[in-house]
Amino acid sequence: LPEAFLDFLKENGLDPSVYTPRYIRLKTGLEEIEAELKCKLEKVVWLSGFYSLPPDIKIATSMAYKQGKIYGIDAASGAAVSVLNISAGDHVLDLCAAPGAKLCMILDIIGDSGSVTGVDVARHRLAACRTLLQKYALGDRCRLFVADGTTFSLAPLRFREWTSRIPWKERKRAMKARPELIFYGRHSGIVGLTKEEIGYDKVLVDAECTHDGSIKHIQKFENWGWTTLQRRVLDPERTDSVTNLQLKLLTNGFRLLKVGGLLVYSTCSLTAAQNEDVVEQFLKDNASAELQEIDVAKNWPCKSGRIPKTLRFDPLTSKTSGLFVAKFTKL
C-alpha cells in the first residue's frame, strides 16, 4: 500500500493488515459447488447461507457462478441486509442499489410477496443490477430507477391496488415518467405517488463512501494508479463532500420510510466522519428518528460503534471487509 494510504489508516487508528477475506452466498447444493471450485468452503456459522473460500479461488469463471448458483458478497454486507429484518410481504427500498449483491439478497428473502425498489444515480452501474436480476431470475418483484437518491420521491404501490383501479394507458404513461425506469418486474408495483401511500416498510441506505474498508475497492487503485488515491479517498474536500451526500441520502431514505418501519444505514468506510458523525447529525436533525438495538447481532463477531446500538465490522475482529451499521425506526 502507498505511504499516503498507510498514513490515512494510521490517522484513523486502523491496522493495514486487515484487508484479506472473501465470501460467497450459496443458492444451491454445497457439495456440488465444492467439487467444481476444487476447494473446501467454510460455513459462516453466524450468518445463514454464507461461506468463506480461499482468496486465490476464482469464482467468476466457474459454471456455478455463470449459472447463478452462487453470489459473490461479503459477509458484512449480508449482515447489513439481515439487520433490516425483512419479512414476507415487505415493500423494500434499496436507495443505493448498485452493484446489486444486497439487492439480490433482499429479493431472495421476500420471495413471492412484497416488492423491492432499487435506485442508483449511475445508469451503467444500475444496468449491472439489471443483469444480476436476469441472471438469478429475481426480477418479478423488483423495479429499478436511475435517480438521485437524495431526491428520489416515489413510494411503493401495491400491485393489485394499482392494476384494479388504474387504466392501462395511464399505467404506461406513469412507467415512462421520470425518474428513469430501466427495469420493471411484472409483480413489482408501479411508479405512482398518491395520498394513500405511507412509505416503504424497510429502507436500506448503503451509502456512497470512500470505500477504505473494502479490499476489493482498494485493489482497484493498482489499475487506476495509486496517485489517484489522494483525490478519490484522502482529500479532505472529497471527504466533506461525501459526508454531506451521506447525510442527504440518509435523510431522504428516512423520509420515504413509513411510521414504524426500519431503516439501515451502512458504509464500507472505517472512518468516524462517514459513520458515527453522520448518524449523530441525522439524529439531531430528525426528532422522529430513533436508533434501534440490533438484537440479531448478539453472537456476531463485530464491535460496537462509538455510538451505542451501532455496529462495526472489520477484518481483524470479523474477518470481513469493514462495515458500519446503524438501524433506525420512525416514531
Side-chain angles (χ1 to χ4, degrees), residues 49-217:
F50 278 75
Y51 294 81
S52 63
L53 73 166
D56 59 311
I57 300 297
K58 308 294 184 187
I59 65 168
T61 56
S62 70
M63 287 305 296
Y65 181 76
K66 291 176 180 178
Q67 293 173 356
K69 297 176 180 177
I70 58 176
Y71 302 82
I73 177 173
D74 192 82
S77 297
V81 173
S82 296
V83 170
L84 267 177
N85 192 28
I86 296 167
S87 303
D90 278 346
H91 294 271
V92 185
L93 172 64
D94 187 349
L95 199 56
C96 306
K102 297 184 189 73
L103 183 80
C104 288
M105 183 173 173
I106 293 169
L107 283 160
D108 265 340
I109 294 171
I110 69 163
D112 296 327
S113 60
S115 70
V116 179
T117 298
V119 177
D120 205 275
V121 71
R123 194 181 197 283
H124 69 286
R125 282 168 53 80
L126 201 63
C129 287
R130 180 176 58 195
T131 300
L132 282 184
L133 295 183
Q134 294 165 339
K135 173 183 176 178
Y136 292 107
L138 289 170
D140 273 3
R141 295 192 169 272
C142 186
R143 56 185 187 167
L144 299 178
F145 291 100
V146 179
D148 183 345
T150 66
T151 57
F152 181 76
S153 293
L154 302 179
L157 187 63
R158 280 55 175 170
F159 183 77
R160 287 180 183 171
E161 294 174 5
W162 173 265
T163 53
S164 65
R165 69 179 189 230
I166 307 296
W168 170 242
K169 284 185 178 179
E170 195 172 327
R171 269 184 273 158
K172 282 186 73 176
R173 268 199 306 275
M175 286 164 64
K176 292 178 181 178
R178 291 181 181 246
E180 182 185 2
L181 179 69
I182 70 164
F183 184 86
Y184 170 62
R186 58 181 177 169
H187 298 306
S188 63
I190 192 56
V191 182
L193 178 62
T194 69
K195 290 180 180 178
E196 292 83 19
E197 292 307 327
I198 56 173
Y200 292 89
D201 301 293
K202 307 287 166 60
V203 175
L204 176 63
V205 182
D206 185 44
E208 171 65 21
C209 68
T210 53
H211 304 287
D212 51 87
S214 168
I215 179 59
K216 286 182 67 176
H217 192 85

Side-chain angles (χ1 to χ4, degrees), residues 28-43:
T28 187
L30 174 62
E31 292 182 5
E32 175 190 346
I33 305 300
E34 287 181 327
E36 185 187 342
L37 296 180
K38 296 181 173 60
C39 73
K40 187 73 175 173
L41 300 180
E42 184 176 341
K43 187 175 183 180

